[in-house]
Amino acid sequence: MTSMKILGLAAAAVLTASQAFAGATVDEIKSRDVVRCGVSTGLAGFSVADSQGNWTGLDADFCRVVAAAMLGDASKVEFVPLSAQQRFTALQSGEVDLLSRNTTWTLTRDTTLGLDFTNVTFYDGQGFMVPADLGVSSAMELDGAAVCVQTGTTTEKNLTDFFRATGMEFKPVVFEALEESKTAFFEGRCDAYTTDASGLASIRATDAPNPEDYVILPEIISKEPLGPAVRNDDSEWFDIVRWSVFATLQAEELGINSGNIDDMMNSEDPNVQRVTGAAAGMGEALGLDEAWAYNIVSQVGNYGEIFEANVGADTPLGFQRGINALWKDGGLMYAPPLR
Ligand SMILES: N[C@@H](CCC(=O)N[C@@H](CS)C(=O)NCC(=O)O)C(=O)O
């Protein structure tokens, strides 16, 4: 047999194996009629449940975005709260269909855990929070500090890197549960608390007995691009999640929002028509209804609406868009062409 033929057979075998899996998650979600979405156990602004079990937050909304695209109904989400330590096993074992849980996209997670990151929904970076009466104004003054940190996170690793790189000493005080780590910090068992800057703002605004008593230090010691992840065995599902997120960005870029999308149905602009579904083809390409993006924007909103409602200037977190602005406004948020 020529080497060409052998190669050809090997390629065919690979194709058959991947075809067997293509769409398996999609089929399962369709028959179950609900998307199982892994979220944090409770981080205001990102994913937090109220006493009725209603989840809110940017990560929770991206679960809804995917359900709207896939099932035509943003409410068809089963939220599964997961600690940092539990999250990847829950995805690998099929307990959840996707993670939308302040999870950082890194090389080793992408390559060794059998998962793929689809997008970045929030560009973040790691920082430190200290009690104001510690009298520290820079992370460079933390030599010898006891630092509260959650295990199973990039946070834990960056913390070690930062202190090694700066030649300072520290004592990690490690917790699996977010709740315990916060309690320990607010009870004064650590000099500093470290996590993603978004998490620090959330914890300071919603968990501190008095937010004014705590200071977030200016240094950002890492890159934490946060976004959804799926198992790497179903490219159809991967595409649906990825393009659902992109649709929220494309809608914002075109000025389409939950309030005006019905009027936008009459637009003559082909770019707008591909989002509203007035021009067919995008839904079919994804194996979805042509109203997939219409359902996302009308039921959940465009990216800007999701950002402002959960973490924006008028929320307790009070974030400016910053690097999370659209590319045309000087930020990093960019969707490839929806065409
Ligand atoms: N982005 C980092 C950290 C994510 C993380 O899990 N942070 C903690 C501290 S804010 C958290 O969200 N905990 C929520 C929970 O355990 O439910 C990562 O992906 O490792």
Side-chain angles (χ1 to χ4, degrees):
M1 204 185 282
T2 67
S3 58
M4 278 299 275
K5 269 193 181 149
I6 296 171
L7 269 178
L9 281 177
V14 169
L15 209 64
T16 318
S18 64
Q19 272 168 348
F21 289 112
T25 302
V26 173
D27 292 344
E28 198 184 318
I29 295 170
K30 281 185 180 155
S31 68
R32 191 200 301 139
D33 204 30
V34 70
V35 173
R36 288 201 187 124
C37 197
V39 290
S40 80
T41 60
L43 198 58
F46 288 86
S47 52
V48 67
D50 66 16
S51 55
Q52 320 292 318
N54 298 315
W55 287 85
T56 52
L58 185 128
D59 286 342
D61 274 351
F62 278 105
C63 300
R64 293 192 174 94
V65 160
V66 174
M70 183 75 206
L71 302 169
D73 185 343
S75 71
K76 291 186 172 172
V77 179
E78 188 183 315
F79 292 96
V80 181
L82 300 166
S83 73
Q85 192 83 313
Q86 296 166 324
R87 63 186 148 173
F88 298 120
T89 318
L91 182 60
Q92 286 157 345
S93 68
E95 188 187 341
V96 296
D97 303 314
L98 79 151
L99 285 180
S100 180
R101 190 210 168 282
N102 55 331
T103 292
T104 305
W105 185 349
T106 70
L107 185 151
T108 47
R109 286 176 174 176
D110 208 349
T111 53
T112 64
L113 298 178
L115 55 81
D116 281 323
F117 289 85
T118 61
N119 311 73
V120 178
T121 49
F122 192 91
Y123 287 92
D124 208 342
Q126 183 175 335
F128 295 93
M129 175 162 62
V130 294
D133 63 14
L134 193 68
V136 158
S137 59
S138 160
M140 297 307 294
E141 296 167 48
L142 289 176
D143 198 5
V147 185
C148 279
V149 62
Q150 229 182 319
T151 194
T153 57
T154 49
T155 322
E156 201 181 3
K157 297 191 167 80
N158 298 327
L159 176 64
T160 309
D161 287 358
F162 173 73
F163 278 86
R164 180 169 301 165
T166 53
M168 298 191 296
E169 302 284 325
F170 77 108
K171 181 172 163 288
V173 186
V174 180
F175 299 89
E176 176 170 354
L178 174 66
E179 207 53 45
E180 287 168 28
S181 69
K182 291 188 297 196
T183 307
F185 176 64
F186 291 122
E187 282 178 353
R189 286 175 52 200
C190 308
D191 302 306
Y193 190 97
T194 186
T195 186
D196 302 337
S198 60
L200 293 179
S202 171
I203 292 168
R204 181 176 179 271
T206 57
D207 300 295
N210 177 12
E212 307 301 309
D213 293 343
Y214 296 89
V215 180
I216 295 173
L217 301 178
E219 289 85 0
I220 296 293
I221 66 164
S222 71
K223 290 186 290 188
E224 307 293 326
L226 311 177
V230 295
R231 282 181 297 285
N232 67 6
D233 61 3
D234 183 345
S235 62
E236 206 180 319
W237 175 231
F238 174 90
D239 286 340
I240 290 172
V241 175
R242 164 173 272 187
W243 286 93
S244 296
V245 174
F246 282 148
T248 68
L249 293 172
Q250 183 66 21
E252 182 181 12
E253 188 175 324
L254 294 168
I256 310 171
N257 59 45
S258 58
N260 68 12
I261 191 162
D262 285 319
D263 297 335
M264 288 285 202
M265 289 305 268
N266 304 317
S267 171
E268 297 294 330
D269 180 346
N271 291 303
V272 172
Q273 292 177 345
R274 280 189 290 271
V275 174
T276 61
M282 302 303 103
E284 188 188 358
L286 287 166
L288 299 175
D289 193 279
E290 292 300 347
W292 68 286
Y294 172 87
N295 290 332
I296 292 173
V297 179
S298 63
Q299 296 179 33
V300 193
N302 69 30
Y303 181 84
E305 290 181 280
I306 295 171
F307 185 99
E308 294 303 339
N310 295 301
V311 299
D314 295 334
T315 68
L317 274 71
F319 293 150
Q320 300 299 319
R321 286 290 289 271
I323 52 172
N324 291 301
L326 291 182
W327 63 283
K328 60 174 191 165
D329 301 326
L332 295 174
M333 289 296 176
Y334 182 105
L338 243 87
R339 70 174 310 130

